[in-house]
């Protein structure tokens, strides 16, 4: 009876030992699989190029809290995993420094980032309307903080209407409402057509209003 008890107890222990052994041997295997996965940012990182010229998405930099706004400062950086770069002596390195202007991303010049556009706001209005845009910093620009940020921008989209065409129609065929029809203002166009341009008075007024840009497309867009 005693030997039977020993056999029954030792059997679960051996099974447990096998399970522990199999788990411990499989763990490095799964880690190896995870480590071989290539992150998406690697496709934008030039291989074996200068570390200091890598795009911002390819590196991680420490914030230089002693930098002065608007001045050039040095930042300590490190390449992200799976990114390979070299120094000026063509030696592979991971830690390096870069020089960039001390300013946050949302303080960059408008040419350094790209923002979403809105076609639902009126560009020709008083006061001029704004819309909430989402802006993304260009790949080669370095800055502090979030590279994607919100910003209030003036409505600046265009529907393809040309100011020169509208003015030419207003001068030549304005008495028949051609300028208003071209701009998508059908009611005003019909009014000018059946009143012969308001006996010429409306025609002259429209030439002045279109000439200074006060009258624009009906959809609220800007002239080309």
């Amino acid at each position: 009876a005693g030997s039977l008890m020993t056999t029954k107890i030792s059997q679960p222990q051996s099974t447990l030992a096998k399970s522990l052994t199999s788990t411990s041997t499989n763990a490095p295997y799964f880690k190896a699989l995870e480590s071989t996965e290539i992150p998406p940012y690697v496709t934008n990182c030039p291989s074996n190029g200068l570390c200091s010229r890598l795009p911002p998405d390819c590196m991680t930099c420490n914030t230089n809290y002693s930098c002065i706004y608007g001045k050039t400062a040095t930042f300590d950086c490190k390449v992200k995993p799976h990114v390979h770069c070299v120094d000026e002596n063509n030696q592979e390195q991971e830690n390096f420094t870069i020089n960039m202007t001390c300013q946050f991303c949302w303080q960059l010049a408008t040419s350094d980032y790209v923002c979403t556009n809105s076609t639902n706001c009126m560009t020709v209005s008083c006061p001029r309307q704004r819309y909430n845009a989402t802006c993304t910093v260009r790949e080669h620009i370095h800055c502090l903080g979030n590279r994607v940020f919100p910003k209030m921008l003036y409505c600046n989209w265009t529907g393809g209407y040309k100011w020169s065409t509208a003015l030419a129609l207003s001068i030549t065929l304005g008495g028949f409402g051609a300028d208003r029809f071209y701009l998508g203002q059908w009611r005003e166009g019909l009014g000018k057509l059946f009143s012969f341009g308001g006996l010429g008075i409306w025609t002259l007024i429209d030439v002045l209003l279109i000439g200074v840009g006060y009258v624009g497309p009906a959809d609220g867009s800007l002239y080309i």
Side-chain angles (χ1 to χ4, degrees):
S3 61
L4 184 59
M5 288 286 291
T6 304
T7 303
K8 289 181 178 181
I9 294 174
S10 61
Q11 186 173 0
Q13 288 178 346
S14 62
T15 305
L16 177 62
K18 289 181 180 180
S19 63
L20 290 174
T21 303
S22 61
T23 303
S24 61
T25 54
N26 289 338
Y29 176 73
F30 288 116
K31 288 182 179 178
L33 287 178
E34 292 177 356
S35 62
T36 56
E37 294 180 357
I38 300 177
Y41 60 80
V42 176
T43 57
N44 298 325
C45 303
S47 180
N48 296 325
L50 287 176
C51 295
S52 58
R53 295 185 179 180
L54 285 174
D57 290 338
C58 305
M59 64 180 75
T60 303
C61 299
N62 296 327
T63 303
N64 186 349
Y65 293 99
S66 62
C67 69
I68 302 175
Y69 172 74
K71 302 293 184 180
T72 303
T74 302
F75 293 81
D76 296 323
C77 302
K78 182 179 181 181
V79 294
K80 290 184 177 180
H82 302 282
V83 177
H84 302 281
C85 62
V86 296
D87 57 11
E88 296 179 354
N89 297 323
N90 205 27
Q91 298 293 324
E92 187 171 355
Q93 64 176 171
E94 293 185 359
N95 300 307
F96 57 96
T97 59
I98 62 170
N99 296 323
M100 70 175 181
T101 305
C102 181
Q103 61 182 347
F104 289 100
C105 295
W106 59 270
Q107 296 173 319
L108 292 171
T110 54
S111 58
D112 293 335
Y113 54 83
V114 180
C115 300
T116 56
N117 208 347
S118 174
T119 57
N120 297 322
C121 58
M122 298 289 291
T123 57
V124 184
S125 63
C126 186
R128 192 175 176 187
Q129 290 186 3
R130 294 173 179 259
Y131 70 98
N132 292 317
T134 301
C135 302
T136 305
V137 181
R138 298 185 184 275
E139 293 182 356
H140 63 283
I141 301 297
H142 291 271
C143 57
L144 303 176
N146 296 327
R147 299 185 61 81
V148 179
F149 54 90
K151 200 163 189 176
M152 290 287 293
L153 299 177
Y154 285 111
C155 300
N156 61 351
W157 65 285
T158 177
Y161 296 94
K162 293 184 177 181
W163 172 82
S164 58
T165 302
L167 183 60
L169 289 174
S170 183
I171 295 174
T172 57
L173 300 174
F176 301 99
D179 50 353
R180 293 283 184 165
F181 286 128
Y182 171 73
L183 295 174
Q185 302 175 8
W186 295 95
R187 288 179 297 181
E188 291 82 353
L190 291 174
K192 291 182 70 174
L193 177 62
F194 291 110
S195 66
F196 300 101
L199 300 178
I201 299 176
W202 193 350
T203 302
L204 293 176
I205 293 176
D206 270 359
V207 170
L208 294 176
L209 294 180
I210 293 176
V212 299
Y214 185 81
V215 173
D219 58 6
S221 63
L222 291 175
Y223 287 115
I224 297 177

